[in-house]
Amino acid sequence: MQTNQAASPSVQGLMAQAIREIAFLKSGEEFLVSDLFKGYEWKRIPLKDRLLLGSLFLSESKIHIMFSAVKKNRSNLQVYRRNSI
């Protein structure tokens, strides 16, 4: 994970968990970062950590071959797509 922001160990663990979940998506499938967690798990993550995770995930999408950022949805949330490898 390459970033200029200092991520706490818990956010780094969440990032690793999110990237592992991408492997279960079909090629071409679109998703939000929150989709990579169970609903109750996502809601239990403190807001500051969710925001940092979103920033880190967007940065990672620029260098990771498994997924890429594609658009913003109506709620202004970043949408990603699982790339075919």
Side-chain angles (χ1 to χ4, degrees):
M1 176 172 32
Q2 298 174 353
T3 179
N4 294 336
Q5 298 171 312
S8 70
S10 63
V11 173
Q12 290 175 356
L14 293 169
M15 182 70 168
Q17 179 182 347
I19 290 175
R20 281 192 305 269
E21 285 296 315
I22 295 171
F24 296 105
L25 300 175
K26 294 178 181 176
S27 179
E29 193 169 355
E30 294 185 353
F31 63 95
L32 303 174
V33 174
S34 60
D35 294 337
L36 302 173
F37 297 88
K38 293 180 181 174
Y40 66 88
E41 287 178 331
W42 181 251
K43 292 175 186 174
R44 290 178 185 170
I45 301 170
L47 179 59
K48 68 179 184 65
D49 289 345
R50 282 187 271 168
L51 293 171
L52 179 55
L53 179 60
S55 296
L56 293 172
F57 204 83
L58 180 60
S59 294
E60 188 73 14
S61 74
K62 296 174 184 172
I63 58 171
H64 207 289
I65 61 169
M66 193 183 308
F67 64 98
S68 54
V70 291
K71 62 185 175 188
K72 294 272 191 152
N73 68 8
R74 289 184 179 190
S75 299
N76 202 34
L77 297 174
Q78 184 65 55
V79 177
Y80 299 90
R81 179 177 296 131
R82 167 76 155 90
N83 296 330
S84 57
I85 298 176

